[in-house]
Amino acid sequence: QVQGVESGGGLVQAGGSLRLSCAASRLTFNRYAMGWFRQAPGKDREFVAAVSRSGGSTYYADNVKGRFTISRDNAKNTVILQMSSLKPDDTAVYYCAATLGNSYGESRAYAYWGQGTQVTVSV
């Protein structure tokens, strides 16, 4: 069974930084584009960022562009989301996901999902 294990979430003050990591197992990692999504209470899951199979191309939601950076290490089957200048609106459960497709912003394109990690940004 494919697994994705996120780590690095926690509580941080507004303006602070966090680094999320997702370790994937039981899949051929470099065949998959990887994405990060988030879901706040009472809201739909939303796209945050994605990285292509090689890591050469990255994609961001407008509301995180310039503050978040996604990267991957294919040798370690890991995808990273570096978050800075965090805002209370960034509070959510963050999920990593894997897709064989190219519709990076569409959650339904992703076949495999991690269990999520909570990020809470206080004022």
Side-chain angles (χ1 to χ4, degrees), residues 65-85:
K65 202 172 294 184
R67 301 189 296 123
F68 291 10
T69 302
I70 188 171
S71 61
R72 66 188 293 161
D73 184 339
N74 284 348
K76 296 182 179 179
N77 284 16
T78 301
V79 58
I80 302 295
L81 185 68
Q82 179 67 47
M83 306 185 294
S84 60
S85 301

Side-chain angles (χ1 to χ4, degrees), residues 13-102:
Q13 287 188 327
S17 299
L18 279 175
R19 183 177 183 268
L20 304 185
S21 178
C22 172
S25 60
R26 301 190 183 97
L27 80 169
T28 306
F29 188 69
N30 61 9
R31 291 186 60 199
Y32 290 82
M34 298 297 295
W36 285 94
F37 288 76
R38 66 187 183 187
Q39 188 165 19
K43 295 187 177 181
D44 293 334
R45 188 170 296 188
E46 67 170 353
F47 170 74
V48 175
V51 60
S52 63
R53 292 157 183 78
S54 68
S57 297
T58 55
Y59 310 86
Y60 298 94
D62 287 342
N63 56 0
V64 306
K65 202 172 294 184
R67 301 189 296 123
F68 291 10
T69 302
I70 188 171
S71 61
R72 66 188 293 161
D73 184 339
N74 284 348
K76 296 182 179 179
N77 284 16
T78 301
V79 58
I80 302 295
L81 185 68
Q82 179 67 47
M83 306 185 294
S84 60
S85 301
L86 283 162
K87 306 174 182 180
D89 284 350
D90 295 318
T91 296
V93 178
Y94 283 71
Y95 300 89
C96 70
T99 178
L100 288 172
N102 296 313

